[in-house]
Each structure stands twice: as C-alpha cells, then as structure tokens.
Amino acid sequence: MSAWRLVEEESEPRQPRTGRPRTGGRRMLVVAAVVLLTLVGAGGLAAARTGMFAERPDGCVKPDRTIQLYAVELPKDGTQVRLGYGLTPQTASYPGPLMEMMEGECLAITLHNQVPEATLAALRTSPTHPLGVSLHVHGVKYTQDSDGTVQSGSYVPSGGSRTYTWYAQPRNNRTGAQGTAGYWWYHDHVVGGPHGTQGLSAGLFGGLVVRRPGDPKPDRTYTVAFGDRQSINLRRGEATDTCTEVNPQPGPTCLVARKGERVEFVVVGIGNDMHTFHLHGHSWADTRTGVVSNGQPFADSVPIIDNKTLGPGDSFGAQVVAGDSVGPGHWMLHCHMQFHSDAGMSTMLHVLDENGNMPPGMDHEHGAAGATSATAADGGEHQHD
Amino acid sequence: MSAWRLVEEESEPRQPRTGRPRTGGRRMLVVAAVVLLTLVGAGGLAAARTGMFAERPDGCVKPDRTIQLYAVELPKDGTQVRLGYGLTPQTASYPGPLMEMMEGECLAITLHNQVPEATLAALRTSPTHPLGVSLHVHGVKYTQDSDGTVQSGSYVPSGGSRTYTWYAQPRNNRTGAQGTAGYWWYHDHVVGGPHGTQGLSAGLFGGLVVRRPGDPKPDRTYTVAFGDRQSINLRRGEATDTCTEVNPQPGPTCLVARKGERVEFVVVGIGNDMHTFHLHGHSWADTRTGVVSNGQPFADSVPIIDNKTLGPGDSFGAQVVAGDSVGPGHWMLHCHMQFHSDAGMSTMLHVLDENGNMPPGMDHEHGAAGATSATAADGGEHQHD
Amino acid sequence: MSAWRLVEEESEPRQPRTGRPRTGGRRMLVVAAVVLLTLVGAGGLAAARTGMFAERPDGCVKPDRTIQLYAVELPKDGTQVRLGYGLTPQTASYPGPLMEMMEGECLAITLHNQVPEATLAALRTSPTHPLGVSLHVHGVKYTQDSDGTVQSGSYVPSGGSRTYTWYAQPRNNRTGAQGTAGYWWYHDHVVGGPHGTQGLSAGLFGGLVVRRPGDPKPDRTYTVAFGDRQSINLRRGEATDTCTEVNPQPGPTCLVARKGERVEFVVVGIGNDMHTFHLHGHSWADTRTGVVSNGQPFADSVPIIDNKTLGPGDSFGAQVVAGDSVGPGHWMLHCHMQFHSDAGMSTMLHVLDENGNMPPGMDHEHGAAGATSATAADGGEHQHD
C-alpha cells in the first residue's frame, strides 16, 4: 500500500517540454511525501484497504435503491469457461441484467462473488495477480472505492461481497457537470489480469441505460455486445438466435418485436477488435438517445445512420420503430466487416406484424455457414494488411 | 421456405435473464407455428418466393421514378474478377453510378443481371450457395422483397431481372420517423456468400445521396470508397489518379475541382479493415450534410474535422469549398493509417485556380512507391500487435 | 518538377462512368499542358521549388505571431531512434510543444532542422527519397508551400530552415467557411517516406488547439497520443507515468490535477492501429470543445461519453472537471482494447484533493506487467481474426 503523503512546499507547476502559454499564474501547494509501499498480493487484503476514500460520490447522500448482484460460474461453452452476473445466482447470464437508472438516482449494488477460487486461479495470467471479481461501470459516478480495479482494492474475493455505489449525476449548469444520461455498460476489471480481460471474455459484462426525464420510452430493450471471435453476446451464427417460431421469447439471443414497437438497442464493444453495428431496413439518429426530435432546428444537422463503428469500451444507443415503413420480416443485424459477418457475426431482428404474426414466405436462415459457437475454430481467414 | 404461422395463445413477454424493470404491462399475442421448412438451393427459385411481403414500403404509393441498372462483368484487374453496376451495360463501373434522391421520393430500380453464371459459380464459396446478383441499400426504406439477401430470396439469377423499390422516407414528427436524408451506399449482398463479400470486392457497390430541401448544392460529387488492400475505389497508388494535365476528366479516379467550387465526397467503407479519410488543406463539419450553418447556435458545438475513421458499412458526406483560403494545388487525400498510405492508399484532389489553370511549380506524385493496382502483392508489412 | 500549364480549350466536364444527374451546366476552361517533369531527388533542391504558390493563405495578410521550432535528435529509446520538436533545441520532446491559437490568428513557424543527415538517411525506406524534416498540420489553413510534403517541396534539409504559415481561419457565413477551432495536431510528413511514417514513430508530432472566443478555459492541458506498440506518447507501462509522489511535475508523462480543476486532453491517434481513449470516473461531451453548455436545447441530444474510438490522424478534445463528484484518486486512463491495455497501454490521471494532497490508501500501480518502453518486445499476443 502506498500513500501520497505530502509535506508543505510551494512550487510553481511547470509544464516541462511544452511551450504552451501559461493559462494562469496559479500556484500549487505540494507536499513532500513519505511513501509507504506495500504490495498487495492477496485478494483477502482488499477489504482492509477500503475506507480511505469516500464511499459515496458527492451528490449521493444516500442510495435511493439497492440491488443484490451475483457473480457465478455457468456451464462451459465448449472448452470456454463462462461466468455471468445475475440478480439471483440462478438467473446469471451473459450479458448480465440490464441496469436502468434515472439521472439523479443513486444506486447501491452489492456484488456477491460465488465464482470458485479455483476457477479464478485457472483464469489468471500471473501467479501474483489477486483472485477476485469486481464491478466496474462506465458513465456514472463512483469513488475509488467503487472503481472495481486491483490498484484501488475494490474487488471481491470468492465467497465475499462488496457494495458498489453508482451515482447518475445530473447536469448542473453552475458546476459544469455534463450529466450522465446515456448508454453505458458495466464489467469485471479484475479476473485474469488488471484489466479483467478474462472476466470480460468469460461473460462478466452487461448494459446500463441512464435516462433523463422526457427521454423516449422504449417498448423493448436489447443489449447487444459485439466482441472477439466474430461474436454477438459471445455467440455466433445460429447460436445468436434462439427465437422459436412459436411464441419467441425476447432476450439477448432472441431479438423480436411487433411492428410499431419502439425497440432500443444498448450496443457495446468488448474485447480486442473493431466492429460495426448494422441493421437492415432501420436507421437511427447518432445522438445521446438514438433519436432526434424533428421539431428542433438542429435536427437538420444530426446524422441518421444504419451502421456505426465501435471499438472495445464504446457503447451507444440505437432506437428504432420496428418495421416502420418497411414492414414485418426477418431483418439482418450484423457486423459489416465482411470476414466477421461471413464467420457468423450476424443475427436477426424478427419483426412480427401488429397482431404478432409473421407473414409467411421466408425462412430466417442467417446465411452464415459458420460455427454455432464463438468458441469453435475461427471461421475468418482474413489477413490484415 | 419456412413460415412463422401462428395460432392464438396469450402470453406475457418475458425478459429471461435480465433484471430490467418492465416498461409496461403489454401482452403479446403469439400463435403456435406450423413450420414449413424448405431449403432453397437454386437462384431460379427466387422469383417464386416473392410477393408474400409487401412490394413497396409504407408511404410509397407508386414509384416517382424508374431506373434500369445493369450488373456486368468487366475486364479483369490482373487476376481479380471485376464486376460493376451501370445505367447501361457499356457504362458499368466500380464504384457504380451515384444515385441521388430527394427525401419523399420513391424510386424503382430494375436490376438486370448480365453477369455470366459461370463467373458467379467461380466466385461462390460454397457449392450450395445460390447464384445471383442483388441490390442491397443503406439508409432508405425497402421491404423484405427489396432487401437483396439470400434469406429473403430477393436476388437475381444470371439473365434475369428484378425490381427493387427504395423509399426516401421523410421525417414525420407524429410517427417519429427520423428521415432518410444522408450519405448512403448500395451493394450486392449475394455474390460468393450470404453477405456478398465477393460481389463487393469485385466492384458491385456505389454511392447514394438523399437530400432534404434546403440542403447545400454541390458543384461536384465524388464517391470515394476506402477498402481492403489499401485501396481507394479498389485502386491504389498511381491507379487512384488518372487525371491528365490536359483537360482532366472528373471521375472516381480523377478528383479535380476549381477554386471556389463546392465539392462533395460520398465516403464509404467496404471490406474488412478500418480506415481514416484525410484530406490536406480542407476540413468539413461532422454533421449530416458535412456542413454547418454558422448562424445556428449549435454551430459552436459541432466538430470541424479533416480526418474521419470509418469502418466497413459506414458512409458519410464531406463538403468542402475547394481551395478556400489555401489556394490551388495538388492536395493529398489519403488514409492516415501509415502502413496504408505508404502502400499507396493515397490520391489527390487537384484544385485548379478560378480560371481552370494549375499554377506551375510542382508535380503531383503520390509519393507512394506502391503498386499501381490493389491486386498486386501487398506492400504493407505492418504487424498488428 | 511538373507543371499543369494550360492552353485555352473549352470542354464540358464529363462524369465518366457515373450516372448522377448533372448539377449544373458549368463549363470548365481547361488548357493544354506542356509538361516539365524533373524528379527531385535531393532535399537541397527544395528551396528552389518554393514560391510558385502563394506563401500565405487568403485571409492572412501578415502573421500575428512568429515561433522558432527546432527538430532535433534525442537519446535513443532502446534501439529506437527518437526525434522531437522543441521551442528550443534543449527542450525538444515527444510529443512536441502544445501549440495554441485563437480563431482569426495567423502564425509563422520557422522550422530549423537540426537532425543529422546521417540519421535521416538511416531512417529512409528508399535511396531516392529526399532527406529532410517537415511540418504538416491538421485543421488550420496553409498553402502548398506550407503543406510539409515531398511533392510540394515544402520540407527542410538538415541544417536548413523554412517558415510555415498557419492561418486559423474564422467562420464566415457569407463564404461558408466553417471555422478552424478544434483539437488538431502537427507532424512530420517526410522522414523515411512520403507520409513521414518514420518521423512520426520517432516522435515528430505535437498537439494544436484552436480556440474560439468564449470557449471554456482549461486549467491544464495534456497531449495524449495513442499509437503503435500499445503506446501512450510513445511509452508504455510504467514509462507512461513519471509522476513522483512528492511534487509531481505535470507533463506528457505525468497527468496530475487538483480536484475542481478543468483538465483538457488533446487526444491524437498516430501510427497504424485503432485505439480507444478511456478515462475512469470522468466523462465528456462529444462536441467540438469536449463540453456542452447545458442551457442549450441541443444539450439534450449530445452524447456524453467516457470512451472514444480513434484512428490514426484523428484528434479530439476531452474536457473534464477533475474529481468532480468522484473525488481524488488514481484514475486509470487506458486503451480499452484488452490486449493493448494488458500490454501496458495504460496510465493514470492523478487527482489530488483541493489542497494538493492525495488521500492515503492506495498505490498507483498501473496493473500492467508490461515493459516500460514501447520499444521492448511486444507483449500483445492477440490474433486478429
């Protein structure tokens, strides 16, 4: 454990090796430090390291809501270990549960790590890396205590639990706070290595939507994570679409809607690769909400798009009115990188008619000869050059 | 052919494995299906599969305009098969003809597939994949009958023809329709495999601009597709620029303008790789039109850029006033990925003076020692790491 | 040297192989050329080639300010040659000095090339490529004489100097000029090859901010270049962060601020790879300034983000109020491509409290076992597929 402990000393902040004009004559009080450096090699010490930073972000006096969240091991997908977050251990999944907040709301999430330590040990890439699961979130506010990182000690050893506080800070013209409404995501930052790479690829991630009063209300929301090995929500090819013709059950692997319903996608990039999110027959506004109010003068300037590049860590919202003008049908949703879609990074938005019927006339083959699982041998033969 | 045929049954739509709050108590009528599954293995059956979905999107009562479009085989580029769309068979090219629509317009395009079946057979990646050419479009509205995909049967066998209907749906505040004005593109979705990968890389693509009343009117429009093998419009190095010093002919491989002309680029990403579109000496607004009206209060918030990342499937518009402030000259236009530009992914916008003269003083070498064709051996030696 | 010299001849500009409607009946005066082609193989000829285009862009009657800039060789980083720009030879660095301009301002920068010719010769990729260093800038206006490219001859042989003129053209509603305020960068375009690839990877680049009256004023500005070999400002792992616990000195490898300070990042993409810029605990508006004024009606439409994809050549600004709501701490700043961050493409924004103290309680390990320098063997083992 190291501390930046400071003794008083006055100094001008210098900008070494830059020639920029000084923006002000500010002085900075800096204080000489006595450095206490202790390497933390065991997750069990994590609890002991908390409490030195504020538990809650400024503006969150008290959580408005509490949630119990479980990290569990799921059945393997081929040889690939799968982990998931769930509101109960029995409902853990990948992606994890969609979280929804209103701007201004403060949420306390208690994460229970039920992943066996042996599983975490098998996933880690260095023998000194701590064993634990964490919860790191994008977009909303949290203190270092809820950062979900190794260096802040904010993770949970197997069998333990820890409460993370998220604050959907609202806009504030006086302080310049920009607000936190948006399409975000949460994920582990600890399993396997200091960036949670193994936790993410095993399934420890989910979507988060923070709304602002007046935002359009969707009829359905689907989380769609585009990731490595040509995967959508860690599946590819036929495994991306488990819809049955009879009574299809909406979920991360069954994107279905009735004509006229407002469908919202929380699109997330994970892993190592670039992707593009493309949907046939539908388009959306490249704005905070995925919608633009046409009465506004700037509506003329906003791009309407049907394909959007996203890198790992990116997230955005796309809202469409299912089947508007184009009618019902099996509308392809895929990555437009050709070698990705050819390898099975392609699924369907099934749009039924207003009565919940699909007109006859076509199958809904994905057109991907690819494997049914992202853990199968790679179908892509692309050479980057 | 499978049909989602439904018998009445009431069920609550469940959101399995997600914890999001129910946004409403809606019920969904779902009906048990009798599944009729017939695999369609021959393009010749395609015609038989149409007509079960609407032919035209809602809002298009009757096409305002009709176009004949021909898909033909062009002379090989080295060993690379080349295909092109053309308004006549004799004028087919890659990229294909620029399409322009006004919001509100409905267009019927009859595609005549004149590509020999043997050529399509040689390009396909699976012996059961159907032989045909299609027309898939981004941004505007179309029913499944005009989707241009295998699964919807909306493609054309060799020697056949098929009419595709595109509707440039306008904005509608009541229904929430976002409008379709924008910079789009069209392409084959069938040649070689279910995503048209071979058709695209052979040349079956083109640009589409949908305008809104009041949009700025360009003096010249150039389609610029950034794609695999460090290519601009499927060429690289010297082949990207066929301008002659005497009477240069504007076209996809000769980007030329006079100082003061408003030049519009329809920039499209195709293939497998990421690229960035960069133009020397000029910049544009990152908006729907590539322009921002400076009188608007939000003009202060809009980024002005001279380099934009695009992935496959992305398309955007960039509008510049040629030579404004910077004067005439040979202005480089290239991908800013260094190994791409070094391998010849670089061309020029030649800006002549107001009288159509180029001041003396410089050659217009592209500075790429690279091959003259994208089909040559790759010049890039980059290792992704 | 070739010249587009023109004799009078009238011709209709044709759009060969495109079917777009003619946007006007304009005629183009084109003039037959006498081509004088002389290959320039020596940087020494560069001076002789200037002066045929205007020296200054329209709107810049006379420079408002002059700067001396030096290109020098710095100590090697392992086996990697390092070059840097500096306002003095002694303060050269990578990135080079941050340049700041106001819209409307015209700047004359005299570049002195103090890099030994032998070093430039060792870096070039072709024996006929000229030896020199140049200054190419994004976003602002310059004539061909200040383009910094080989083909325009606007570079500087070793021991020489050359003045480049940059004009931060303001918005103009009458002419349609979009303005040049934004977050830009400058770089060499000549060292090693015609795109300056070796110059860039050696360190010849820096940030540029052009402001508009009324823009928010930052307390601190940091240039952050994301580039090849998992590097931030050409370093990786521990080398990205040279902050000391006692009196940390702000600079390109020490990102530090006090709670409440407005911190501005000039984020630049260089090299060959895609990256994403992610900052823990903070977010910014995806606008020209990285900020949105919340009183504006369009503020509701602007995305607030904490992760942004950037390709080579891209640049943008991100402004955050350090520690707002989240408090002090060691906030990770990293590429969210997992194999990049795992290999050490990760540093910290150290946020001290209002008094300049860091609360005790945690070390600031980067969590990257990676090498301390981007020149070390690659740690990434990612296979693109």
Side-chain angles (χ1 to χ4, degrees):
Chain A
M1 194 175 340
S2 88
W4 288 35
R5 292 181 53 206
L6 309 169
V7 298
E8 286 205 29
E9 175 188 347
E10 286 200 4
S11 74
E12 288 277 349
R14 287 190 299 124
Q15 291 279 5
R17 301 179 301 196
T18 77
R20 75 182 185 87
R22 296 287 305 281
T23 50
R26 296 193 171 213
R27 294 178 159 225
M28 195 183 195
L29 282 180
V30 194
V31 188
V34 178
V35 179
L36 300 173
L37 180 66
T38 310
L39 284 174
V40 175
L45 285 183
R49 303 176 66 210
T50 63
M52 299 175 187
F53 284 82
E55 186 188 336
R56 288 193 291 270
D58 297 345
C60 169
V61 179
K62 186 174 156 303
D64 301 293
R65 192 155 50 108
T66 61
I67 284 182
Q68 306 300 311
L69 189 70
Y70 298 83
V72 306
E73 183 165 4
L74 297 170
K76 279 199 173 60
D77 180 6
T79 59
Q80 170 67 55
V81 170
R82 289 285 177 228
L83 308 175
Y85 293 113
L87 297 175
T88 67
Q90 294 73 35
T91 55
S93 61
Y94 49 94
L98 178 71
M99 303 289 188
E100 286 186 292
M101 299 177 74
M102 289 300 292
E103 236 182 38
E105 192 180 15
C106 187
L107 185 61
I109 303 179
T110 301
L111 175 65
H112 307 272
N113 178 5
Q114 299 192 353
V115 180
E117 193 171 86
T119 300
L120 299 176
L123 288 172
R124 73 175 159 186
T125 51
S126 154
T128 60
H129 183 72
L131 298 176
V133 165
S134 84
L135 189 61
H136 172 74
V137 66
H138 285 244
V140 293
K141 298 300 177 187
Y142 51 85
T143 68
Q144 291 261 308
D145 263 13
S146 293
D147 192 20
T149 52
V150 173
Q151 49 90 14
S152 62
S154 50
Y155 55 93
V156 191
S158 294
S161 63
R162 179 185 185 90
T163 298
Y164 296 84
T165 306
W166 297 354
Y167 175 47
Q169 186 190 35
R171 296 184 289 181
N172 186 319
N173 290 336
R174 191 180 47 78
T175 65
Q178 304 274 297
T180 52
Y183 290 78
W184 308 106
W185 66 302
Y186 62 88
H187 61 90
D188 169 73
H189 212 298
V190 170
V191 176
H195 288 274
T197 299
Q198 301 300 317
L200 265 164
S201 62
L204 289 174
F205 62 88
L208 164 66
V209 185
V210 179
R211 303 188 196 279
R212 192 168 283 169
D215 279 358
K217 286 283 188 306
D219 297 299
R220 310 190 164 279
T221 301
Y222 292 112
T223 301
V224 181
F226 274 33
D228 293 350
R229 296 179 174 269
Q230 306 92 38
S231 67
I232 300 176
N233 288 333
L234 300 185
R235 289 89 170 176
R236 81 176 163 206
E238 292 181 5
T240 63
D241 188 357
T242 60
C243 280
T244 51
E245 285 85 349
V246 182
N247 196 7
Q249 295 300 311
T253 59
C254 176
L255 312 178
V256 62
R258 284 205 275 189
K259 186 169 189 295
E261 285 188 322
R262 180 171 290 279
V263 178
E264 173 184 69
F265 296 96
V266 183
V267 188
V268 179
I270 62 174
N272 297 308
D273 294 340
M274 300 300 303
H275 299 288
T276 83
F277 174 85
H278 173 49
L279 177 60
H280 283 213
H282 299 76
S283 55
W284 62 93
D286 196 13
T287 60
R288 175 179 66 83
T289 57
V291 170
V292 65
S293 296
N294 291 325
Q296 307 278 22
F298 56 87
D300 243 14
S301 292
V302 170
I304 305 297
I305 55 176
D306 73 355
N307 193 84
K308 188 174 167 82
T309 287
L310 78 165
D314 285 344
S315 52
F316 65 89
Q319 286 202 17
V320 302
V321 177
D324 180 46
S325 178
V326 303
H330 305 286
W331 295 102
M332 297 177 82
L333 184 162
H334 62 87
C335 180
H336 219 300
M337 287 188 164
Q338 300 295 133
F339 72 118
H340 285 187
S341 50
D342 284 346
M345 194 166 185
S346 185
T347 187
M348 292 281 181
L349 172 64
H350 303 284
V351 178
L352 311 179
D353 68 19
E354 290 87 342
N355 300 315
N357 298 322
M358 176 66 76
M362 89 187 48
D363 58 47
H364 64 294
E365 300 270 315
H366 290 191
T372 56
S373 157
T375 57
D378 290 340
E381 287 158 355
H382 173 67
Q383 297 299 320
H384 276 268
D385 48 13
Chain B
M1 193 176 341
S2 88
W4 288 35
R5 291 181 56 204
L6 311 168
V7 297
E8 286 204 30
E9 175 188 348
E10 287 200 4
S11 74
E12 287 277 349
R14 288 189 298 123
Q15 293 278 5
R17 301 178 301 196
T18 75
R20 74 181 185 87
R22 296 287 305 283
T23 50
R26 298 195 170 212
R27 294 178 158 224
M28 194 184 196
L29 281 181
V30 194
V31 187
V34 178
V35 179
L36 299 173
L37 180 68
T38 309
L39 285 173
V40 176
L45 284 183
R49 302 175 67 207
T50 63
M52 298 174 188
F53 284 83
E55 185 187 336
R56 288 192 291 271
D58 297 345
C60 168
V61 179
K62 186 176 157 302
D64 300 293
R65 194 156 46 110
T66 61
I67 285 181
Q68 307 301 311
L69 190 70
Y70 298 82
V72 306
E73 183 166 4
L74 298 170
K76 278 196 173 65
D77 181 4
T79 60
Q80 170 68 54
V81 170
R82 289 285 177 228
L83 307 175
Y85 294 113
L87 297 176
T88 67
Q90 293 73 34
T91 54
S93 61
Y94 49 93
L98 178 72
M99 303 289 186
E100 288 186 290
M101 299 177 74
M102 289 299 294
E103 235 181 39
E105 193 180 15
C106 187
L107 184 61
I109 303 180
T110 301
L111 175 65
H112 306 272
N113 178 5
Q114 299 192 353
V115 180
E117 193 173 88
T119 300
L120 299 176
L123 288 172
R124 72 176 160 186
T125 52
S126 154
T128 60
H129 183 71
L131 299 176
V133 167
S134 84
L135 190 60
H136 172 74
V137 66
H138 285 244
V140 292
K141 299 300 177 188
Y142 51 85
T143 69
Q144 291 261 307
D145 263 13
S146 293
D147 193 18
T149 53
V150 174
Q151 50 90 14
S152 62
S154 50
Y155 55 93
V156 191
S158 294
S161 64
R162 180 186 184 87
T163 297
Y164 296 84
T165 305
W166 298 354
Y167 175 47
Q169 186 190 35
R171 296 184 288 182
N172 186 319
N173 290 337
R174 190 181 47 79
T175 66
Q178 304 272 298
T180 53
Y183 289 78
W184 307 106
W185 66 301
Y186 61 89
H187 61 90
D188 169 74
H189 212 299
V190 170
V191 176
H195 289 275
T197 300
Q198 301 301 317
L200 266 164
S201 62
L204 290 174
F205 61 88
L208 164 66
V209 186
V210 178
R211 304 189 195 279
R212 192 168 283 168
D215 279 358
K217 287 282 187 306
D219 297 299
R220 310 190 164 279
T221 301
Y222 292 112
T223 301
V224 181
F226 274 33
D228 294 350
R229 295 178 174 270
Q230 305 93 37
S231 67
I232 300 177
N233 288 333
L234 300 185
R235 289 89 171 176
R236 80 176 164 207
E238 292 181 5
T240 63
D241 188 357
T242 60
C243 280
T244 50
E245 284 86 348
V246 182
N247 196 8
Q249 295 301 312
T253 59
C254 177
L255 313 177
V256 61
R258 284 205 274 188
K259 187 169 190 292
E261 286 188 321
R262 180 171 290 280
V263 177
E264 172 184 69
F265 296 96
V266 183
V267 188
V268 178
I270 62 174
N272 297 307
D273 294 339
M274 300 299 303
H275 299 287
T276 83
F277 174 86
H278 173 50
L279 177 59
H280 283 214
H282 300 76
S283 54
W284 62 93
D286 196 12
T287 60
R288 176 180 66 84
T289 57
V291 172
V292 64
S293 295
N294 291 325
Q296 307 277 20
F298 57 86
D300 244 14
S301 291
V302 170
I304 306 297
I305 56 177
D306 73 355
N307 193 84
K308 187 173 168 82
T309 287
L310 79 165
D314 285 344
S315 52
F316 65 88
Q319 286 203 18
V320 303
V321 177
D324 181 46
S325 178
V326 303
H330 304 286
W331 295 102
M332 297 176 84
L333 183 163
H334 62 88
C335 179
H336 219 300
M337 288 189 163
Q338 300 294 134
F339 72 118
H340 285 188
S341 50
D342 283 347
M345 195 168 183
S346 185
T347 188
M348 293 280 182
L349 173 64
H350 303 283
V351 179
L352 311 179
D353 68 19
E354 291 89 342
N355 299 315
N357 299 322
M358 176 66 75
M362 90 187 48
D363 58 47
H364 64 293
E365 300 270 315
H366 291 189
T372 56
S373 159
T375 58
D378 290 339
E381 286 158 355
H382 172 67
Q383 297 297 320
H384 276 267
D385 47 15
Chain C
M1 193 176 340
S2 89
W4 289 36
R5 291 181 54 204
L6 311 169
V7 297
E8 287 204 30
E9 176 188 346
E10 287 199 4
S11 75
E12 287 279 348
R14 288 190 299 123
Q15 293 279 6
R17 300 179 301 197
T18 77
R20 74 182 185 87
R22 297 287 305 282
T23 50
R26 297 194 171 213
R27 294 178 158 223
M28 196 184 197
L29 281 181
V30 194
V31 187
V34 178
V35 179
L36 300 173
L37 180 67
T38 309
L39 284 173
V40 176
L45 285 182
R49 302 177 66 207
T50 63
M52 298 175 188
F53 284 83
E55 185 186 337
R56 289 193 290 272
D58 297 344
C60 169
V61 179
K62 187 175 157 303
D64 300 293
R65 192 156 46 111
T66 60
I67 285 183
Q68 306 301 311
L69 189 70
Y70 298 82
V72 305
E73 184 166 4
L74 298 169
K76 278 198 174 61
D77 180 4
T79 59
Q80 169 69 54
V81 170
R82 288 285 177 229
L83 308 175
Y85 293 113
L87 297 176
T88 66
Q90 292 74 35
T91 54
S93 61
Y94 48 95
L98 178 71
M99 303 290 185
E100 287 186 291
M101 299 177 74
M102 289 299 292
E103 234 181 39
E105 193 180 15
C106 187
L107 184 61
I109 303 179
T110 300
L111 175 65
H112 305 273
N113 178 5
Q114 299 192 352
V115 179
E117 193 171 89
T119 300
L120 298 176
L123 288 172
R124 74 175 158 186
T125 52
S126 153
T128 60
H129 184 71
L131 299 176
V133 166
S134 84
L135 189 61
H136 172 74
V137 66
H138 284 244
V140 292
K141 299 301 176 187
Y142 50 85
T143 68
Q144 291 261 307
D145 263 14
S146 293
D147 193 19
T149 52
V150 173
Q151 49 90 14
S152 62
S154 50
Y155 56 93
V156 191
S158 294
S161 63
R162 180 186 185 87
T163 298
Y164 296 84
T165 305
W166 297 354
Y167 175 47
Q169 187 190 35
R171 296 185 289 183
N172 186 318
N173 290 336
R174 190 180 48 78
T175 65
Q178 304 274 298
T180 53
Y183 289 79
W184 307 106
W185 66 303
Y186 61 89
H187 61 90
D188 169 72
H189 212 298
V190 170
V191 177
H195 288 275
T197 300
Q198 302 300 318
L200 265 163
S201 62
L204 288 175
F205 62 87
L208 164 66
V209 186
V210 178
R211 303 188 196 281
R212 192 168 283 168
D215 279 357
K217 287 283 188 304
D219 296 299
R220 311 192 163 276
T221 300
Y222 292 112
T223 300
V224 182
F226 274 34
D228 294 349
R229 295 179 174 271
Q230 305 94 36
S231 67
I232 299 177
N233 287 334
L234 300 185
R235 289 90 169 175
R236 82 176 164 207
E238 293 181 5
T240 63
D241 188 355
T242 60
C243 280
T244 50
E245 285 87 348
V246 183
N247 196 7
Q249 295 301 310
T253 59
C254 177
L255 312 178
V256 61
R258 285 205 274 189
K259 186 170 189 294
E261 285 188 322
R262 180 171 290 278
V263 177
E264 172 183 68
F265 296 96
V266 183
V267 188
V268 178
I270 62 174
N272 296 308
D273 293 340
M274 301 299 304
H275 300 287
T276 83
F277 174 85
H278 173 49
L279 178 59
H280 283 213
H282 299 76
S283 54
W284 63 92
D286 196 13
T287 60
R288 175 180 67 84
T289 57
V291 171
V292 65
S293 295
N294 291 325
Q296 306 278 22
F298 56 86
D300 244 14
S301 291
V302 170
I304 306 298
I305 55 177
D306 72 356
N307 193 85
K308 189 174 168 80
T309 287
L310 79 165
D314 285 344
S315 53
F316 64 89
Q319 287 202 17
V320 302
V321 177
D324 180 46
S325 178
V326 304
H330 305 286
W331 295 103
M332 296 177 83
L333 183 163
H334 62 87
C335 180
H336 218 301
M337 287 188 165
Q338 299 295 133
F339 72 118
H340 284 188
S341 51
D342 283 347
M345 194 166 185
S346 185
T347 187
M348 292 280 183
L349 173 64
H350 303 282
V351 178
L352 311 178
D353 68 19
E354 291 87 342
N355 299 315
N357 298 322
M358 176 65 75
M362 87 188 49
D363 59 47
H364 65 292
E365 300 271 315
H366 290 191
T372 56
S373 159
T375 58
D378 291 339
E381 286 157 356
H382 172 66
Q383 297 298 319
H384 276 268
D385 49 14

